Each structure stands twice: as structure tokens, then as C-alpha cells.
Amino acid sequence: AIRRFVLEVSCISRTLALKTLLMSIALQSILENNFASVFIMEDDADWDIRLLCQLAEFAKGVRFLSGVKPSQPQHSPYGDDWDILWPGHCGDVLPKNDDRRYTIANDETVAPKDHQPWLKGLKDLPEKTRIVHKAGAPMCTFGYAVSYRGAQKIMMALAIKAGANLAIDNGMAYLCRDGFLDLKCYSVEPQLFQHHRPAGSVNKDSDINVANSDAVRQKGVTDFIVLSARLNMEQMIMGSDQYVKQW
């Protein structure tokens, strides 16, 4: 069945087709197991070691944009009125016809602005600023959460709306952008999860964009992440506070 699926998807690569199939299986499992929500992360994703503090602020932002008061009981810290939360992407745009923002100022976990070349929505904001907003059209799926309601909408919508010639991350991004089925998607910039590029051959950077280069990276790097969990694995295991700080 997997082979037949891959051969039929002629407009995207074999790797992207398999990724789309596996993500579809993950979404289907949400419905079959009646999970309230699931977080899906790529195996080469990285994050700041202060992630729990970042997620607390992200949750406040999502609740604010959803119109959920801090005192209002909800099952989820993020409130219960969302379909996709997209904290791990490789770029987003500010949505049209929705200028609501939740601003996190003086955030020490935010990378310097000269290391945020892709984030156009932040160019006029001060250093150390992070914003939560309705998703415009996030690209890449380094880390994202889907609610039960969201899985229902995505599975139905991708079958009739996005088409088989789109990678699933692009398909979901366009569904968020268009608000199809009133899909409620929220994003954060700079992102909280990012693709890690390890030390060694640059050919290992991606399973999708296969390179053929002799270049060797001397040390690992993760864009946008100040105190990388992957670069500080030894420090955390050994209980050291001498962290590797990228900037």
C-alpha cells in the first residue's frame, strides 16, 4: 500500500510522499484513539533548554487570541478552541485581515534580530521580542500540535481541498491561511522548534533535499535557538551550567 501511494504521487518526491503518508497515519490515530490532542515533532528538531518557560507564554498567547480568559476553566493550558498550534516551522507570514498579536517583550530566549533574516513580521519590533498570532501560512513541520477537532478537519479538508500534489505541511498551511472549515491555527515567531544541522557532512542536513557535497560542518548549529538542547546535551546530563550559547 505504501509503494502504491508513493508511485501515485508524481508531483512530489518519494521522501515527501512518505512523510505525507506517515503524517496522515498520525492524524488518523488521533481520531481512532480519541486523543484530545497530539504533539508531532520531526526527529531532527531542536529547542531551547528553557522551552517550558517559552510554552507557558505561548499558551497565554493562544488563550488571548482565542478569547479565553485566564480565569476561565479549560482542559488544555492553551484553551480548548484551537485546531493546530504551530510552534515549530521554518517561516510564517502575518495573516491577512487579522492584526491581533500577543507580544512577549524582553524575552531572553529570542535570538538577536540579525539572526532572524526570514522573519519579516518582526523587522520593526524591538530586540528580544516574540509574537503569537493567527497562523498566516507556516512552512515546515518541525513541531506542531493537532487537536481532535483539528484532525477531523485536516483529514477531510486535505481529501477535498488541498489535493495529492501538495506536501502535507504545505496543504495544512494553505488550509490555515484560507480558514477552510473555520480551521483555527496559531503560530509563534520566532519559532520554538527548529531543524538542527549537525556537525559533519552537510549531506546529512535533510532527507528531503539530498545534497552531494564534500563540505563538512565543524560544529552543529540550530537557527533561532539561543541555548540549543542538542548542543547542550552533555551539560544537562552532567549537571553543568556552563551552557553553549549560540549568540
Side-chain angles (χ1 to χ4, degrees), residues 11-45:
C11 296
I12 57 178
S13 72
R14 177 185 176 87
T15 305
L16 276 176
L18 284 170
K19 175 182 176 181
T20 299
L21 175 60
L22 292 172
M23 292 174 70
S24 298
I25 292 172
L27 294 173
Q28 184 176 344
S29 72
I30 297 174
L31 304 179
E32 291 177 345
N33 293 284
N34 199 31
F35 293 138
S37 62
V38 167
F39 185 74
I40 301 171
M41 181 173 62
E42 296 188 359
D43 62 2
D44 55 2

Side-chain angles (χ1 to χ4, degrees), residues 172-193:
M172 291 197 308
Y174 297 155
L175 293 174
C176 288
R177 178 196 64 189
D178 298 340
F180 190 65
L181 296 175
D182 193 30
L183 200 65
K184 295 180 179 179
C185 314
Y186 299 101
S187 177
V188 57
E189 298 183 84
Q191 57 267 46
L192 304 182
F193 295 85

Side-chain angles (χ1 to χ4, degrees), residues 92-96 98 101 120-122 131 133-136 189:
D92 194 3
V93 295
L94 295 175
K96 297 180 180 178
D98 192 333
R101 310 282 185 268
K120 298 179 181 179
L122 297 172
I131 58 174
H133 57 82
K134 181 181 177 183
E189 298 183 84

